[in-house]
Amino acid sequence: MFDKKLIEKVCNLTCTKTELADINVEKINYDTDNPFKKYYSFAVIKGAIEKYISKKWDDQTLAHWACVYDWILAGGFEENMVDNLDTFELFMKDVITENLDGLSFFDAEYDEDDETNINHWLQLFENYDRIWQTRKGWKAVFAIVGVCDEENESQYVALFNDTTKEYMIMHSDFLENGCSDECFKYVERKEFIKFVDLLKNKNYSLLSCLEKFYYQEIEG
């Protein structure tokens, strides 16, 4: 049996600072039956960030919460965890949980421009949720673009939705280079750059992510 009350408190944002600080993520009994679809909610993530912005939580509390919530969505990374997700859903789950892992290291003193930093996180999760909520209409093209990417085999991914006329450029290492399926198409660097330019020229709306690093790569 999983720790239902604790999971509910984390997802309802009713844990105290002390409770969050004392949680050992490796000791929780997690729900391993499709946890992402059960417990993922942008409203929850937004609520946690707003607790920090309103000073109800400090940066360490927000970081602790993000860590625990990440583990809940991943079913504690248990081998028997079941996720009935299609290819695109699995990719977005990896993107969202990776960013929750990033938020779990949030430190206000590390970034002097703290307000911009936390608002960036909020905008990022909002844009990811926009894609998640309309996920049936999204596909992707990806390629190895930068020098460092060639060394570590990570890639840039252009997600696009021909119905909503939106796109996003992100960095990733979740996909297998050289492989394509019904949602993801692997291309070479030049074709990828042309495709991104095409989306821009067709006046698709850009959902901001980390596209500035992509442009630094191709312009550098």
mmCIF file of all heavy atoms in Angstrom, residues 1-26:
data_model
loop_
_atom_site.group_PDB
_atom_site.id
_atom_site.type_symbol
_atom_site.label_atom_id
_atom_site.label_comp_id
_atom_site.label_asym_id
_atom_site.label_seq_id
_atom_site.Cartn_x
_atom_site.Cartn_y
_atom_site.Cartn_z
ATOM 1 N N MET A 1 0.852 -1.198 0.000
ATOM 2 C CA MET A 1 0.000 0.000 0.000
ATOM 3 C C MET A 1 0.888 1.249 0.000
ATOM 4 O O MET A 1 1.884 1.315 0.722
ATOM 5 C CB MET A 1 -0.903 0.002 1.235
ATOM 6 C CG MET A 1 -1.891 1.155 1.273
ATOM 7 S SD MET A 1 -3.089 1.048 -0.069
ATOM 8 C CE MET A 1 -4.052 2.534 0.210
ATOM 9 N N PHE A 2 0.532 2.211 -0.829
ATOM 10 C CA PHE A 2 1.346 3.425 -0.893
ATOM 11 C C PHE A 2 0.923 4.436 0.167
ATOM 12 O O PHE A 2 -0.164 4.344 0.756
ATOM 13 C CB PHE A 2 1.285 4.044 -2.288
ATOM 14 C CG PHE A 2 -0.096 4.462 -2.749
ATOM 15 C CD1 PHE A 2 -0.574 5.741 -2.486
ATOM 16 C CD2 PHE A 2 -0.900 3.598 -3.477
ATOM 17 C CE1 PHE A 2 -1.821 6.147 -2.922
ATOM 18 C CE2 PHE A 2 -2.156 3.988 -3.924
ATOM 19 C CZ PHE A 2 -2.623 5.270 -3.640
ATOM 20 N N ASP A 3 1.806 5.421 0.402
ATOM 21 C CA ASP A 3 1.568 6.428 1.437
ATOM 22 C C ASP A 3 0.607 7.501 0.920
ATOM 23 O O ASP A 3 1.005 8.610 0.554
ATOM 24 C CB ASP A 3 2.894 7.066 1.855
ATOM 25 C CG ASP A 3 3.813 6.073 2.545
ATOM 26 O OD1 ASP A 3 3.294 5.128 3.174
ATOM 27 O OD2 ASP A 3 5.039 6.243 2.452
ATOM 28 N N LYS A 4 -0.677 7.169 0.905
ATOM 29 C CA LYS A 4 -1.695 8.012 0.295
ATOM 30 C C LYS A 4 -1.787 9.383 0.950
ATOM 31 O O LYS A 4 -1.838 10.417 0.261
ATOM 32 C CB LYS A 4 -3.055 7.313 0.358
ATOM 33 C CG LYS A 4 -4.177 8.093 -0.328
ATOM 34 C CD LYS A 4 -5.486 7.307 -0.295
ATOM 35 C CE LYS A 4 -6.590 8.087 -0.990
ATOM 36 N NZ LYS A 4 -7.881 7.337 -0.951
ATOM 37 N N LYS A 5 -1.805 9.440 2.269
ATOM 38 C CA LYS A 5 -1.972 10.720 2.961
ATOM 39 C C LYS A 5 -0.801 11.660 2.689
ATOM 40 O O LYS A 5 -1.000 12.860 2.458
ATOM 41 C CB LYS A 5 -2.141 10.486 4.462
ATOM 42 C CG LYS A 5 -3.479 9.872 4.840
ATOM 43 C CD LYS A 5 -3.643 9.779 6.354
ATOM 44 C CE LYS A 5 -5.011 9.213 6.722
ATOM 45 N NZ LYS A 5 -5.184 9.122 8.218
ATOM 46 N N LEU A 6 0.400 11.122 2.714
ATOM 47 C CA LEU A 6 1.572 11.958 2.461
ATOM 48 C C LEU A 6 1.569 12.470 1.023
ATOM 49 O O LEU A 6 1.822 13.652 0.780
ATOM 50 C CB LEU A 6 2.845 11.159 2.723
ATOM 51 C CG LEU A 6 4.158 11.885 2.391
ATOM 52 C CD1 LEU A 6 4.282 13.170 3.189
ATOM 53 C CD2 LEU A 6 5.348 10.972 2.641
ATOM 54 N N ILE A 7 1.275 11.592 0.077
ATOM 55 C CA ILE A 7 1.232 12.001 -1.326
ATOM 56 C C ILE A 7 0.172 13.075 -1.534
ATOM 57 O O ILE A 7 0.390 14.060 -2.246
ATOM 58 C CB ILE A 7 0.982 10.779 -2.229
ATOM 59 C CG1 ILE A 7 2.215 9.881 -2.231
ATOM 60 C CG2 ILE A 7 0.638 11.205 -3.660
ATOM 61 C CD1 ILE A 7 2.028 8.550 -2.945
ATOM 62 N N GLU A 8 -0.981 12.909 -0.906
ATOM 63 C CA GLU A 8 -2.047 13.909 -1.024
ATOM 64 C C GLU A 8 -1.622 15.252 -0.446
ATOM 65 O O GLU A 8 -1.903 16.311 -1.022
ATOM 66 C CB GLU A 8 -3.317 13.412 -0.330
ATOM 67 C CG GLU A 8 -4.038 12.313 -1.092
ATOM 68 C CD GLU A 8 -5.279 11.827 -0.373
ATOM 69 O OE1 GLU A 8 -5.452 12.162 0.834
ATOM 70 O OE2 GLU A 8 -6.085 11.114 -1.007
ATOM 71 N N LYS A 9 -0.921 15.226 0.688
ATOM 72 C CA LYS A 9 -0.469 16.481 1.300
ATOM 73 C C LYS A 9 0.540 17.195 0.412
ATOM 74 O O LYS A 9 0.506 18.425 0.288
ATOM 75 C CB LYS A 9 0.136 16.214 2.678
ATOM 76 C CG LYS A 9 -0.869 15.788 3.725
ATOM 77 C CD LYS A 9 -0.233 15.683 5.105
ATOM 78 C CE LYS A 9 0.027 17.035 5.712
ATOM 79 N NZ LYS A 9 0.492 16.952 7.110
ATOM 80 N N VAL A 10 1.432 16.433 -0.220
ATOM 81 C CA VAL A 10 2.406 17.042 -1.120
ATOM 82 C C VAL A 10 1.697 17.637 -2.336
ATOM 83 O O VAL A 10 1.987 18.764 -2.750
ATOM 84 C CB VAL A 10 3.459 16.008 -1.563
ATOM 85 C CG1 VAL A 10 4.369 16.599 -2.639
ATOM 86 C CG2 VAL A 10 4.286 15.546 -0.374
ATOM 87 N N CYS A 11 0.752 16.902 -2.889
ATOM 88 C CA CYS A 11 0.043 17.359 -4.084
ATOM 89 C C CYS A 11 -0.974 18.451 -3.782
ATOM 90 O O CYS A 11 -1.321 19.243 -4.670
ATOM 91 C CB CYS A 11 -0.652 16.177 -4.765
ATOM 92 S SG CYS A 11 0.493 14.948 -5.447
ATOM 93 N N ASN A 12 -1.462 18.495 -2.551
ATOM 94 C CA ASN A 12 -2.397 19.559 -2.146
ATOM 95 C C ASN A 12 -1.688 20.776 -1.573
ATOM 96 O O ASN A 12 -2.339 21.748 -1.169
ATOM 97 C CB ASN A 12 -3.398 19.019 -1.111
ATOM 98 C CG ASN A 12 -4.335 17.994 -1.696
ATOM 99 O OD1 ASN A 12 -4.552 17.961 -2.906
ATOM 100 N ND2 ASN A 12 -4.886 17.132 -0.849
ATOM 101 N N LEU A 13 -0.359 20.699 -1.490
ATOM 102 C CA LEU A 13 0.460 21.798 -0.972
ATOM 103 C C LEU A 13 0.117 22.132 0.478
ATOM 104 O O LEU A 13 0.165 23.295 0.891
ATOM 105 C CB LEU A 13 0.303 23.051 -1.847
ATOM 106 C CG LEU A 13 0.619 22.866 -3.333
ATOM 107 C CD1 LEU A 13 0.357 24.168 -4.096
ATOM 108 C CD2 LEU A 13 2.059 22.415 -3.534
ATOM 109 N N THR A 14 -0.220 21.112 1.245
ATOM 110 C CA THR A 14 -0.570 21.332 2.650
ATOM 111 C C THR A 14 0.523 20.870 3.604
ATOM 112 O O THR A 14 0.347 20.922 4.823
ATOM 113 C CB THR A 14 -1.891 20.620 2.999
ATOM 114 O OG1 THR A 14 -1.800 19.241 2.643
ATOM 115 C CG2 THR A 14 -3.058 21.258 2.248
ATOM 116 N N CYS A 15 1.642 20.408 3.072
ATOM 117 C CA CYS A 15 2.772 20.041 3.929
ATOM 118 C C CYS A 15 3.400 21.294 4.532
ATOM 119 O O CYS A 15 3.525 22.323 3.864
ATOM 120 C CB CYS A 15 3.840 19.304 3.118
ATOM 121 S SG CYS A 15 3.481 17.571 2.798
ATOM 122 N N THR A 16 3.814 21.202 5.768
ATOM 123 C CA THR A 16 4.518 22.310 6.400
ATOM 124 C C THR A 16 5.979 22.315 5.957
ATOM 125 O O THR A 16 6.478 21.339 5.398
ATOM 126 C CB THR A 16 4.462 22.193 7.928
ATOM 127 O OG1 THR A 16 5.199 21.022 8.331
ATOM 128 C CG2 THR A 16 3.023 22.082 8.417
ATOM 129 N N LYS A 17 6.671 23.413 6.226
ATOM 130 C CA LYS A 17 8.093 23.498 5.911
ATOM 131 C C LYS A 17 8.872 22.384 6.600
ATOM 132 O O LYS A 17 9.754 21.746 6.003
ATOM 133 C CB LYS A 17 8.646 24.856 6.345
ATOM 134 C CG LYS A 17 8.096 26.048 5.585
ATOM 135 C CD LYS A 17 8.734 27.325 6.103
ATOM 136 C CE LYS A 17 8.184 28.547 5.389
ATOM 137 N NZ LYS A 17 8.813 29.809 5.886
ATOM 138 N N THR A 18 8.538 22.141 7.873
ATOM 139 C CA THR A 18 9.230 21.113 8.644
ATOM 140 C C THR A 18 8.991 19.735 8.056
ATOM 141 O O THR A 18 9.922 18.918 7.933
ATOM 142 C CB THR A 18 8.780 21.134 10.111
ATOM 143 O OG1 THR A 18 9.050 22.431 10.668
ATOM 144 C CG2 THR A 18 9.515 20.079 10.919
ATOM 145 N N GLU A 19 7.741 19.460 7.697
ATOM 146 C CA GLU A 19 7.411 18.156 7.121
ATOM 147 C C GLU A 19 8.184 17.924 5.822
ATOM 148 O O GLU A 19 8.731 16.847 5.598
ATOM 149 C CB GLU A 19 5.911 18.062 6.862
ATOM 150 C CG GLU A 19 5.082 17.887 8.122
ATOM 151 C CD GLU A 19 3.598 17.950 7.858
ATOM 152 O OE1 GLU A 19 3.178 18.710 6.947
ATOM 153 O OE2 GLU A 19 2.839 17.240 8.548
ATOM 154 N N LEU A 20 8.219 18.943 4.963
ATOM 155 C CA LEU A 20 8.919 18.801 3.691
ATOM 156 C C LEU A 20 10.419 18.592 3.906
ATOM 157 O O LEU A 20 11.043 17.782 3.227
ATOM 158 C CB LEU A 20 8.680 20.029 2.810
ATOM 159 C CG LEU A 20 7.312 20.098 2.129
ATOM 160 C CD1 LEU A 20 7.078 21.469 1.516
ATOM 161 C CD2 LEU A 20 7.190 19.018 1.049
ATOM 162 N N ALA A 21 10.971 19.330 4.863
ATOM 163 C CA ALA A 21 12.406 19.211 5.135
ATOM 164 C C ALA A 21 12.765 17.837 5.683
ATOM 165 O O ALA A 21 13.880 17.348 5.465
ATOM 166 C CB ALA A 21 12.845 20.294 6.112
ATOM 167 N N ASP A 22 11.818 17.205 6.384
ATOM 168 C CA ASP A 22 12.097 15.923 7.030
ATOM 169 C C ASP A 22 11.817 14.710 6.142
ATOM 170 O O ASP A 22 12.157 13.577 6.507
ATOM 171 C CB ASP A 22 11.270 15.789 8.320
ATOM 172 C CG ASP A 22 11.769 16.723 9.415
ATOM 173 O OD1 ASP A 22 12.915 17.205 9.298
ATOM 174 O OD2 ASP A 22 11.009 16.971 10.367
ATOM 175 N N ILE A 23 11.198 14.924 4.982
ATOM 176 C CA ILE A 23 10.846 13.799 4.116
ATOM 177 C C ILE A 23 12.098 13.189 3.483
ATOM 178 O O ILE A 23 12.915 13.892 2.901
ATOM 179 C CB ILE A 23 9.865 14.240 3.002
ATOM 180 C CG1 ILE A 23 8.498 14.584 3.596
ATOM 181 C CG2 ILE A 23 9.708 13.126 1.958
ATOM 182 C CD1 ILE A 23 7.522 15.139 2.575
ATOM 183 N N ASN A 24 12.223 11.903 3.613
ATOM 184 C CA ASN A 24 13.267 11.148 2.923
ATOM 185 C C ASN A 24 12.602 10.484 1.714
ATOM 186 O O ASN A 24 11.820 9.539 1.870
ATOM 187 C CB ASN A 24 13.883 10.106 3.849
ATOM 188 C CG ASN A 24 15.021 9.342 3.197
ATOM 189 O OD1 ASN A 24 15.127 9.269 1.975
ATOM 190 N ND2 ASN A 24 15.879 8.756 4.013
ATOM 191 N N VAL A 25 12.907 10.971 0.518
ATOM 192 C CA VAL A 25 12.204 10.489 -0.667
ATOM 193 C C VAL A 25 12.420 8.995 -0.910
ATOM 194 O O VAL A 25 11.596 8.354 -1.584
ATOM 195 C CB VAL A 25 12.630 11.284 -1.925
ATOM 196 C CG1 VAL A 25 12.115 12.710 -1.856
ATOM 197 C CG2 VAL A 25 14.137 11.238 -2.128
ATOM 198 N N GLU A 26 13.487 8.445 -0.379
ATOM 199 C CA GLU A 26 13.768 7.029 -0.590
ATOM 200 C C GLU A 26 12.977 6.131 0.360
ATOM 201 O O GLU A 26 12.980 4.909 0.199
ATOM 202 C CB GLU A 26 15.264 6.764 -0.440
ATOM 203 C CG GLU A 26 16.110 7.468 -1.499
ATOM 204 C CD GLU A 26 17.583 7.148 -1.369
ATOM 205 O OE1 GLU A 26 17.951 6.433 -0.418
ATOM 206 O OE2 GLU A 26 18.368 7.603 -2.224
#
